């Protein structure tokens, strides 16, 4: 899966009979709809969804998987067989968006190597990224196109054109639309940001190759699903499509399907 989750071995826990976590716990809201817990941006109150209520911990993920298993026994059987994937949370902000851009059309290993160089050079925040010239960024392994995308993202955040605290308060569709307005951030990238950085519970990145292959093997005719077919197949999994995506990525990564 994206953002560094590509291990081809069983790393999760066995699926429990009951997660012991309520729907309110995993959805990020209490009974009255007011969010609880730590701030979504990890810094100060922003009025938005709160980070530790999101699907970013094993407990939250297992609660979502338990609900998913009730909706679709095939997913429940897969979970029982392969266990719970690691939560793989990412901190909201520029670095995670840049990391998604870095990983576009690259293997997990190649993307991780480039990202490590950026981090080692202190270039993984917006101001620092803008402070490096193109030659330095190319030396880290970034293509000219990705340098341009990264500069556009950094400039938008530093200049205020992209207010991530505002994005984090938005619903899924509006947040995705706000992010894809930037060059270099497509629907897949925006969906992965919402899933891994914000922990939104109902995201299905249907353009993802691994998800298309895994879903085709589990609930399709065995062939890779086209994005429209995957979106249609995932409709019964609402509002826990993020749990389905994480489970399918896990199954694909360990060659379980």
């Amino acid at each position: 899966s994206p953002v560094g989750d590509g291990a081809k071995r069983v790393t999760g826990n066995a699926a429990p009979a009951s997660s012991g976590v309520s729907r309110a716990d995993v959805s990020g809201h209490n009974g009255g709809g007011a969010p609880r817990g730590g701030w979504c941006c990890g810094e100060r109150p922003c009025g938005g969804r709160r980070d530790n209520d999101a699907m970013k911990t094993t407990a939250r993920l297992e609660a979502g998987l338990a609900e998913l298993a009730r909706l679709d026994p095939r997913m429940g059987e897969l979970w029982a067989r392969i266990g719970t994937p690691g939560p793989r949370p990412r901190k909201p902000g520029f670095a995670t968006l840049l990391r998604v851009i870095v990983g576009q059309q690259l293997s997990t290993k190649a993307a991780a190597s480039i990202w490590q160089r950026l981090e080692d050079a202190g270039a993984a925040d917006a101001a620092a990224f803008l402070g490096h010239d193109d030659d330095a960024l190319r030396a880290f392994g970034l293509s000219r196109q990705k340098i341009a995308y990264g500069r556009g993202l950094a400039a938008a955040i530093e200049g205020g054109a992209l207010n991530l605290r505002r994005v984090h308060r938005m619903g899924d569709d509006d947040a995705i639309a706000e992010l894809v307005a930037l060059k270099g951030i497509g629907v897949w990238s925006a969906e992965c940001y919402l899933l891994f950085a914000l922990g939104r519970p109902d995201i299905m990145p249907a353009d993802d190759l691994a998800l298309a292959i895994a879903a085709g093997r589990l609930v399709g005719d065995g062939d890779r699903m086209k994005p429209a077919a995957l979106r249609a197949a995932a409709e019964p999994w609402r509002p826990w499509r993020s749990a389905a995506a994480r489970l399918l990525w896990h199954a694909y990564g360990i060659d379980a399907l």
Side-chain angles (χ1 to χ4, degrees):
S1 71
V3 236
D5 185 8
K8 291 199 173 186
R9 59 191 177 87
V10 178
T11 56
N13 302 315
S18 173
S19 65
V21 183
S22 71
R23 296 186 186 195
D25 287 333
V26 72
S27 67
H29 298 276
N30 60 22
R36 303 160 296 147
W39 301 107
C40 67
C41 305
E43 298 172 4
R44 64 181 185 178
C46 67
R49 299 170 187 243
R50 310 201 185 183
D51 201 33
N52 66 357
D53 277 319
M55 195 179 289
K56 295 175 68 175
T57 66
T58 297
R60 300 291 194 262
L61 179 55
E62 287 183 342
L65 288 167
E67 295 289 345
L68 179 66
R70 282 188 271 275
L71 292 172
D72 189 335
R74 296 170 298 183
M75 300 299 279
E77 291 167 4
L78 179 63
W79 181 29
R81 180 160 60 88
I82 69 173
T84 302
R88 305 287 184 183
R90 296 295 179 191
K91 184 178 179 180
F94 169 79
T96 294
L97 282 168
L98 179 64
R99 188 166 186 169
V100 173
I101 290 172
V102 168
Q104 291 169 356
Q105 299 179 327
L106 290 179
S107 69
T108 300
K109 183 177 180 180
S113 178
I114 293 170
W115 185 253
Q116 189 62 56
R117 292 186 208 117
L118 285 167
E119 283 196 319
D120 290 346
D125 67 72
F129 190 90
L130 290 172
H132 284 73
D133 62 28
D134 286 3
D135 287 341
L137 294 173
R138 281 197 297 271
F140 299 146
L142 292 175
S143 66
R144 290 179 184 275
Q145 186 177 55
K146 289 182 180 179
I147 291 171
Y149 291 160
R151 289 198 184 285
L153 172 64
I157 291 174
E158 287 293 288
L162 177 63
N163 184 331
L164 286 178
R165 290 193 178 94
R166 177 173 171 270
V167 171
H168 298 168
R169 293 195 296 267
M170 294 176 173
D172 295 343
D173 291 343
D174 288 341
I176 290 168
E178 188 82 2
L179 291 172
V180 301
L182 292 167
K183 287 186 177 179
I185 303 290
V187 172
W188 175 86
S189 298
E191 288 173 335
C192 289
Y193 181 77
L194 265 63
L195 199 160
F196 287 97
L198 303 187
R200 297 289 176 88
D202 195 31
I203 303 295
M204 175 54 67
D207 294 309
D208 188 89
L209 178 62
L211 289 181
I213 292 172
R217 291 172 180 170
L218 182 68
V219 301
D221 59 7
D223 293 330
R224 184 179 80 191
M225 281 187 167
K226 293 183 178 180
L230 177 50
R231 290 188 185 96
E235 280 299 307
W237 301 333
R238 287 180 180 270
W240 310 108
R241 291 180 299 169
S242 295
R246 292 305 321 281
L247 188 65
L248 290 171
W249 267 320
H250 183 42
Y252 179 85
I254 62 171
D255 297 320
L257 292 170

